[in-house]
Each structure stands twice: as structure tokens, then as C-alpha cells.
Amino acid sequence: ARLGARPALFAALMMGMLALGSMASAEEVDTTPPTVIETVPHDGKTRVRLDKVILAYFSEPDSHAMDRASINTSTVRLHEGEYDPATSTCEASCAVPAVVKYRSGFGKAVLDPNELLKPSTLYTVVVEGASGDINGDALAVKDLAGNPMTQTYTFTFTTMRQLN
């Protein structure tokens, strides 16, 4: 009786392994590029506080979805004045030094300017995508599957007159 149980056990183990193998091969490969789905402040907002931290939420909010290394001061930037990502030009001396971090639990980039923003000033935030990037997608925000944002995302806001 003991010998008869071994082939049945072997057959059951083989069926289980085949089932696991087919489940693994059925997993979908992520080919969807991330996008920016929300910003704080929102595009066009006025009277933004001078000490405001800027946020960009991504379409892949899972804590393991975005490539943290691709979210940095080269790919998420703050510019003073209007900024045209197609020509990489702005109307003023526009780079604003800031710290950029990725908060994985919320799927957001956090841009924290090093100093208070200037009062009554228009600012543009740029989140780099791969379109028009002369370095290919080297300077684009990516997910962990390596999919870069396809389009550069920009939004603007204007600060309040003074910090209350």
C-alpha cells in the first residue's frame, strides 16, 4: 500500500507545479507608462503660500511601482516664470533649488524648495517624460518595469503677495 501512495503523491505534486508554472507565465508584463494624475497645488492655482511644498501624484501609486532613482532634481524641477519644455528655455533666470523625494506609500514626488518662494510670482513645475529627450529616456520619470513617462508634464501656479 505504501508504494501505491508514492505515484499518487508524485502526480499531485507534478500537477501543482504545472499549475504554478502556468500562473507565473500568465502574469502580465507592465508596459503601461506612468503619468501624473494630480498635483498640489493644482495647475493655475493662485495665492499659493510661499512656504508651499509641491506634490505630483503618479498613476502607479503602489509602493513598489515607481523607480525611485528616476525621481530626482533632474526629472522633477521647479522654474521661476514661464517654462517651455520643448526648447528648455524660460523667461527669467529660472532654476529654483529644491530637494526632490519620492514617497512610495502615496505614489508621489515631493518637491521642497530650499528657500521661501518669491511673492506674487508665477512658477512652473516640470516632470520629465521621454518625448523630445535628446538622451532617449535617460532623464524621464520611470516605473520599476522601466517604462518612462511618454510626455513631459508641466503645471503652473502663482504665489501670494506675502507670507502671513
Side-chain angles (χ1 to χ4, degrees), residues 96-110:
V96 177
V99 174
V100 174
K101 297 178 183 174
Y102 177 63
R103 296 284 184 230
S104 59
F106 300 98
K108 67 183 176 186
V110 178

Side-chain angles (χ1 to χ4, degrees), residues 86-153:
T87 60
S88 298
T89 60
C90 48
E91 64 185 30
S93 171
C94 65
V96 177
V99 174
V100 174
K101 297 178 183 174
Y102 177 63
R103 296 284 184 230
S104 59
F106 300 98
K108 67 183 176 186
V110 178
L111 190 151
D112 189 3
N114 292 352
E115 297 178 1
L116 288 179
L117 300 176
K118 294 179 182 177
S120 301
T121 303
L122 176 73
Y123 288 92
T124 304
V125 179
V126 178
V127 182
E128 286 290 341
S131 63
D133 182 358
I134 59 171
N135 299 305
D137 62 8
L139 292 179
V141 170
K142 300 175 187 175
D143 63 16
L144 278 178
N147 302 308
M149 284 180 48
T150 57
Q151 299 293 319
T152 295
Y153 186 91

Side-chain angles (χ1 to χ4, degrees), residues 13-163:
L13 285 172
M14 289 303 292
M15 291 300 285
M17 288 171 50
L18 287 173
L20 283 174
S22 67
M23 284 192 323
S25 65
E27 285 183 26
E28 292 184 30
V29 176
D30 179 7
T31 59
T32 304
T35 59
V36 174
I37 57 170
E38 184 180 354
T39 62
V40 176
H42 65 75
D43 189 25
K45 175 103 170 115
T46 58
R47 299 192 324 240
V48 173
R49 291 182 55 91
L50 306 180
D51 59 352
K52 182 71 175 167
V53 171
I54 296 115
L55 308 174
Y57 289 86
F58 297 103
S59 59
E60 299 186 26
D62 181 5
S63 62
H64 303 292
M66 296 299 292
D67 178 2
R68 178 183 303 270
S70 75
I71 300 170
N72 54 56
T73 56
S74 295
T75 59
V76 180
R77 299 184 312 276
L78 179 63
H79 297 275
E80 183 181 333
E82 291 283 346
Y83 179 81
D84 182 0
T87 60
S88 298
T89 60
C90 48
E91 64 185 30
S93 171
C94 65
V96 177
V99 174
V100 174
K101 297 178 183 174
Y102 177 63
R103 296 284 184 230
S104 59
F106 300 98
K108 67 183 176 186
V110 178
L111 190 151
D112 189 3
N114 292 352
E115 297 178 1
L116 288 179
L117 300 176
K118 294 179 182 177
S120 301
T121 303
L122 176 73
Y123 288 92
T124 304
V125 179
V126 178
V127 182
E128 286 290 341
S131 63
D133 182 358
I134 59 171
N135 299 305
D137 62 8
L139 292 179
V141 170
K142 300 175 187 175
D143 63 16
L144 278 178
N147 302 308
M149 284 180 48
T150 57
Q151 299 293 319
T152 295
Y153 186 91
T154 62
F155 65 99
T156 61
F157 64 89
T158 303
T159 52
M160 60 192 336
R161 289 187 202 160
Q162 61 188 12
L163 188 62

